[in-house]
């Protein structure tokens, strides 16, 4: 294991200092995660909506799934040079009213560069609540950033029976 520099994480009134120990394989990925400068502050008043890029059923084209109330629907929120997915508050995410699925009390959310563009992406699995019709073509993701700024993304879908 390799020890990286100490990292200080802060959120509102909580500050945690830690030294990360990682294998060389994960060292570059950890550096990407910790290079962010924090979620930008919100100006007084109503924060502007940020449109995010999403991919329903990542690496699947077309993005077809069976909306039968069983299982989960994976969705990627795409990170870019201008949008760091670490700012997303996972507890606020919904896909057309469906919450993020949980496994043993932990939300099914992960981070990886799934599209190999050099930017971290957020992958969330949403509960399939059987809320799509066979002719639906779009799914809408909503949520907010850690600073309260609302986000929204629209992705193409196809429903199978």
């Amino acid at each position: 294991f390799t020890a990286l520099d100490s990292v200080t994480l802060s959120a509102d009134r909580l500050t945690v200092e830690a030294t990360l120990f990682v294998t060389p394989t994960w060292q570059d990925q950890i550096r990407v995660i910790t290079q962010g400068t924090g979620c930008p502050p919100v100006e007084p008043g109503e924060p502007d909506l940020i449109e995010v890029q999403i991919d329903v059923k990542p690496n699947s084209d077309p993005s077809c799934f069976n909306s039968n109330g069983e299982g989960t629907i994976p969705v990627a929120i795409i990170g870019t040079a201008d949008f760091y997915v670490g700012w997303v508050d996972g507890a606020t995410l919904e896909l057309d009213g469906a919450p993020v699925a949980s496994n043993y009390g932990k939300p099914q959310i992960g981070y990886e560069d799934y599209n190999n563009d050099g930017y971290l992406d957020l992958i969330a699995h949403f509960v399939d609540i059987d809320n799509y019709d066979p002719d639906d073509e779009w799914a809408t993701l909503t949520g907010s950033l850690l600073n309260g700024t609302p986000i929204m993304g629209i992705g193409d879908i196809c429903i199978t029976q």
Side-chain angles (χ1 to χ4, degrees):
F1 289 95
T2 303
L4 297 178
D5 294 333
S6 291
V7 177
T8 301
L9 306 171
S10 298
D12 291 330
R13 291 173 240 126
L14 176 65
T15 299
V16 176
E17 291 189 27
T19 301
L20 300 175
F21 291 91
V22 296
T23 64
T25 305
W26 285 96
Q27 188 168 351
D28 289 336
Q29 190 68 26
I30 296 296
R31 283 201 174 111
V32 168
I33 292 170
T34 59
Q35 283 177 352
T37 58
C39 197
V42 176
E43 298 298 323
E46 191 69 29
D48 291 334
L49 173 75
I50 295 177
E51 291 184 27
V52 296
Q53 298 174 27
I54 67 169
D55 186 2
V56 179
K57 290 205 60 186
N59 293 322
S60 209
D61 189 25
S63 299
C64 296
F65 58 90
N66 185 358
S67 181
N68 60 3
E70 298 179 14
T72 64
I73 304 165
V75 178
I77 300 177
I78 312 301
T80 67
D82 298 320
F83 184 73
Y84 175 58
V85 297
W87 295 337
V88 174
D89 182 352
T92 65
L93 294 177
E94 290 187 350
L95 184 67
D96 289 316
V100 172
S102 64
N103 192 6
Y104 297 104
K106 295 182 180 180
Q108 291 186 6
I109 295 175
Y111 300 90
E112 64 180 88
D113 182 10
Y114 99 92
N115 57 358
N116 298 314
D117 64 357
Y119 299 102
L120 200 60
D121 306 307
L122 182 153
I123 312 293
H125 292 260
F126 293 88
V127 175
D128 180 352
I129 60 173
D130 192 18
N131 60 339
Y132 294 102
D133 294 322
D135 58 343
D136 285 343
E137 297 179 358
W138 304 102
T140 303
L141 176 137
T142 56
S144 64
L145 301 182
L146 295 170
N147 66 8
T149 302
I151 62 170
M152 182 183 77
I154 298 174
D156 64 313
I157 60 171
C158 71
I159 304 302
T160 59
Q161 294 299 332

